[in-house]
Amino acid sequence: MLTLAKPYFLFPKYIKVFSEKKGQWQTLTVEVEELWHKLDRNAIDKSEVWEIYTDIRKRMADLDQTPEDIIFFKHGSLHKEAETTCNNYLNKI
């Protein structure tokens, strides 16, 4: 039965999407750190810092976007109801 339902689980897609995003976030974090160190050493002009920082912030905003087929569920009463239904089904087996 689980084999039939497996294609409907999006967990592999979640893992792929968010692991890619993790790498991109790490890259942006390093860029911000490098920018900070350049500014701290006066190795870069403040106007140039603002341009670079703005570019980094735009890329951060893009990373906050998730594909439309990634669905987030609210884990309230529906989650409890699903667990109860599943437990009832498993008890019948």
Side-chain angles (χ1 to χ4, degrees):
M1 169 117 169
L2 187 58
T3 306
L4 294 174
K6 188 177 178 184
Y8 296 100
F9 293 133
L10 292 175
F11 295 117
K13 182 155 181 100
Y14 287 151
I15 292 168
K16 181 179 183 237
V17 166
F18 291 112
S19 70
E20 288 172 0
K21 286 182 180 284
K22 176 186 171 243
Q24 293 170 341
W25 273 109
Q26 287 175 331
T27 299
L28 290 172
T29 301
V30 169
E31 287 183 37
V32 169
E33 286 179 27
E34 289 173 346
L35 187 61
W36 170 252
H37 288 291
K38 287 178 183 177
L39 181 63
D40 188 49
R41 292 187 324 260
N42 292 321
I44 192 170
D45 184 60
K46 287 185 180 183
S47 63
E48 191 177 354
V49 168
W50 183 249
E51 288 178 30
I52 295 170
Y53 179 72
T54 303
D55 175 64
I56 293 170
R57 290 289 297 153
K58 287 177 184 175
R59 289 187 285 148
M60 287 178 174
D62 289 341
L63 276 178
D64 283 342
Q65 305 294 325
T66 55
E68 301 227 353
D69 56 341
I70 297 287
I71 302 168
F72 294 101
F73 298 99
K74 293 185 178 180
H75 293 286
S77 59
L78 292 177
H79 182 79
K80 289 178 185 177
E81 181 181 339
E83 283 183 343
T84 302
T85 304
C86 182
N87 288 334
N88 289 339
Y89 176 78
L90 292 175
N91 287 333
K92 289 178 184 178
I93 294 179

